[in-house]
């Protein structure tokens, strides 16, 4: 129930405009043609921005048990390019906003989300967004 309330507040205050920015970035990447490999990650992050509480990013090869183009060597190279061109400043922005959120008690959960997005912004290629319980199953075994 708490995650639902936090998601609604997040969506109303931050999520809709952050998601819109990521969707716009994804569209611009598609228009450039050479940015198409990064567009999927932009759309994935955009959807994550809408409803982040109770969800997390996991590597697709951990999730599905096999590599794909985004989790292998090309995905690594794509993440390096992403990091150099956009990832570091996106992560820095989320880090600064996140740390600012920690100045108030009410802002702490939102600050944690921004820190989570800072980490994801560094290397998003090859990641999917899943519910927290799915990530826990991956982490602690499917048993």
């Amino acid at each position: 129930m708490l995650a639902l309330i936090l998601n609604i507040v997040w969506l109303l205050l931050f999520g809709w405009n952050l998601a819109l920015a990521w969707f716009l970035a994804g569209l611009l990447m598609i228009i450039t043609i050479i940015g198409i490999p990064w567009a999927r990650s932009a759309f994935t992050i955009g959807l994550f921005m809408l409803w982040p509480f109770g969800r997390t990013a996991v590597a697709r090869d951990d999730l599905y048990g096999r590599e794909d183009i985004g989790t292998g060597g090309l995905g690594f190279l794509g993440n390096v390019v992403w990091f150099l061109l956009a990832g570091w400043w996106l992560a820095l922005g989320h880090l600064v906003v996140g740390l600012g959120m920690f100045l108030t008690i009410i802002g702490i959960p939102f600050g944690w989300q921004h820190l989570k997005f800072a980490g994801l912004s560094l290397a998003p290629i090859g990641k999917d967004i899943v519910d927290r319980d799915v990530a826990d199953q991956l982490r602690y075994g499917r048993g």
Side-chain angles (χ1 to χ4, degrees):
M1 181 64 163
L2 180 60
L4 175 65
I5 293 168
L6 290 171
N7 275 320
I8 291 170
V9 171
W10 174 274
L11 180 65
L12 294 175
L13 295 180
F14 317 108
W16 69 270
N17 57 354
L18 291 170
L20 188 62
W22 278 100
F23 294 150
L24 180 61
L27 287 173
L28 291 173
M29 289 176 202
I30 289 172
I31 290 170
T32 66
I33 306 297
I34 61 169
I36 290 174
W38 294 276
R40 176 180 181 188
S41 294
F43 289 125
T44 298
I45 294 172
L47 288 173
F48 194 19
M49 289 284 173
L50 290 172
W51 208 257
F53 289 93
R55 298 172 27 176
T56 190
V58 297
R60 283 196 309 267
D61 55 353
D62 290 340
L63 185 60
Y64 300 115
R66 66 187 186 312
E67 275 192 5
D68 61 27
I69 195 166
T71 60
L74 287 175
F76 175 78
L77 181 62
N79 275 324
V80 169
V81 172
W82 175 281
F83 176 82
L84 293 173
L85 297 178
W88 68 271
W89 61 266
L90 288 168
L92 184 63
H94 280 295
L95 180 65
V96 168
V97 171
L99 292 176
M101 293 284 183
F102 283 103
L103 295 176
T104 66
I105 292 173
I106 293 171
I108 291 173
F110 304 110
W112 281 118
Q113 290 305 317
H114 276 289
L115 294 182
K116 182 168 65 172
F117 289 130
L120 180 59
S121 294
L122 292 173
I125 297 173
K127 302 271 191 336
D128 266 347
I129 309 306
V130 298
D131 289 336
R132 175 80 54 199
D133 58 342
V134 173
D136 290 341
Q137 287 177 350
L138 289 172
R139 187 175 301 124
Y140 302 116
R142 298 188 183 263

